Amino acid sequence: MVDQGDTPQNAGTFLSHDGTGAVYYTLESGNDYDTVAITLEPDALGDQPRGTMILAAKIKG
């Protein structure tokens, strides 16, 4: 997630099984996030995204 100040925040780690899966994430009201992005991370240890971004979309609000 990216807030309007351009500071990426880790929203969790998702691992697929046999190439399929789903994720559900609830944004708390009052947050100023305006973009969600999917990255390919080297591991699940980072506090901020470090991997290659493969998808990004604006959040309508």
Side-chain angles (χ1 to χ4, degrees):
M1 310 265 246
V2 180
D3 65 18
Q4 293 182 5
D6 294 325
T7 304
Q9 300 293 317
N10 185 342
T13 302
F14 170 73
L15 299 172
S16 65
H17 178 70
D18 293 332
T20 62
V23 66
Y24 178 85
Y25 187 84
T26 302
L27 292 172
E28 295 179 22
S29 62
N31 287 335
D32 290 330
Y33 297 118
D34 61 2
T35 304
V36 63
I38 306 297
T39 58
L40 295 175
E41 297 296 318
D43 53 51
L45 304 176
D47 291 334
Q48 292 188 358
R50 298 170 285 143
T52 303
M53 186 183 318
I54 60 169
L55 177 86
K58 292 284 184 187
I59 297 173
K60 293 183 179 182

